[in-house]
Amino acid sequence: RRRIKKTKLMLLCDVSGSMDCYSKFLIRFIYALKREIKDVEVGVFSTRMTPISRLLKSKGIEESLREVADTVHDWAGGTDIGGCLREFNDHFARDMLHSRTVMIIVSDGWDRGDPELMRKEMTRLRKRVHKLMWLNPLLGTPGYQPLCLGMKTALPYLDYFLPAHNLESLIQLAKTLRSVWK
């Protein structure tokens, strides 16, 4: 018999300085999501990738946030999206992804890394997942245009480009995920 592969959810959240005002809110959302959906993997990045799934398992939200803050040494630092994606692809993707994975990257797209490296790693990532989504808190700002180089580099690889700036945008994400899960 053929085994049925369930859809898996993978979230990578940017915790760099430009995302600092959104990161704790989004980690709380991810914590709640992980409570409802069992097959969720979570990582955070700034200048390096840090898997945090195990830190969000059984503790309360405040204790989990403290443990994440103690573990992630580059929180509110610079941003190297391409370098972090390379680290994810090289060291974590094989164990955390499969062909039915919906990957969500949460970032404003501000990046100080090499755009060619980011392009290469987005290509590698896109080949490994079923759907690739990008949530950008700035997308909810009236008049926003994806002008920064990191965001412009990522756009051609995305199935969905959605805002993540308030509760309504997260409700819309849940509806989008429901449609992708089918």
Side-chain angles (χ1 to χ4, degrees):
R1 282 188 196 172
R2 225 176 88 163
R3 290 185 70 192
I4 297 172
K5 277 192 175 181
K6 293 181 180 178
T7 302
K8 182 177 189 170
L9 187 60
M10 178 73 222
L11 291 123
L12 296 180
C13 186
D14 181 345
V15 294
S16 66
S18 64
M19 285 288 292
D20 197 39
C21 63
Y22 303 104
S23 296
K24 286 186 182 160
F25 164 73
L26 292 167
I27 296 291
R28 286 175 190 276
F29 171 73
I30 291 167
Y31 177 87
L33 193 63
K34 190 156 176 50
R35 291 288 207 224
E36 296 301 316
I37 302 172
K38 298 303 174 208
D39 203 5
V40 177
E41 294 284 351
V42 183
V44 295
F45 67 93
S46 181
T47 57
R48 64 181 186 203
M49 181 63 58
T50 307
I52 62 166
S53 298
R54 67 176 177 76
L55 303 177
L56 303 177
K57 288 240 172 166
S58 60
K59 302 168 191 75
I61 182 65
E62 295 307 321
E63 187 179 345
S64 291
L65 283 173
R66 274 193 300 279
E67 196 168 340
V68 167
D70 290 344
T71 303
V72 180
H73 300 293
D74 60 343
W75 192 288
T79 315
D80 180 4
I81 299 173
C84 290
L85 290 178
R86 177 177 52 201
E87 188 177 351
F88 178 79
N89 284 328
D90 289 349
H91 301 289
F92 305 110
R94 187 171 38 111
D95 296 327
M96 295 179 143
L97 303 178
H98 60 63
S99 62
R100 294 289 310 152
T101 300
V102 174
M103 167 70 93
I104 300 175
I105 299 172
V106 184
S107 175
D108 56 11
W110 287 97
D111 185 38
R112 294 184 177 179
D114 176 12
E116 192 52 46
L117 175 63
M118 186 176 171
R119 202 171 283 108
K120 177 183 172 196
E121 297 306 322
M122 288 294 292
T123 300
R124 287 177 67 197
L125 187 60
R126 184 68 200 100
K127 289 177 182 177
R128 287 188 137 132
V129 299
H130 175 60
K131 296 289 180 187
L132 184 55
M133 305 172 113
W134 193 292
L135 305 182
N136 186 328
L138 301 179
L139 188 55
T141 305
Y144 169 80
Q145 293 182 25
L147 300 177
C148 66
L149 190 55
M151 201 65 259
K152 287 193 326 191
T153 302
L155 280 172
Y157 301 94
L158 306 178
D159 295 299
Y160 297 90
F161 183 47
L162 302 168
H165 62 293
N166 61 19
L167 188 56
E168 289 78 29
S169 64
L170 297 180
I171 290 169
Q172 184 57 48
L173 169 64
K175 291 177 183 176
T176 303
L177 283 173
R178 244 185 255 122
S179 73
V180 170
W181 234 257
K182 293 179 182 180

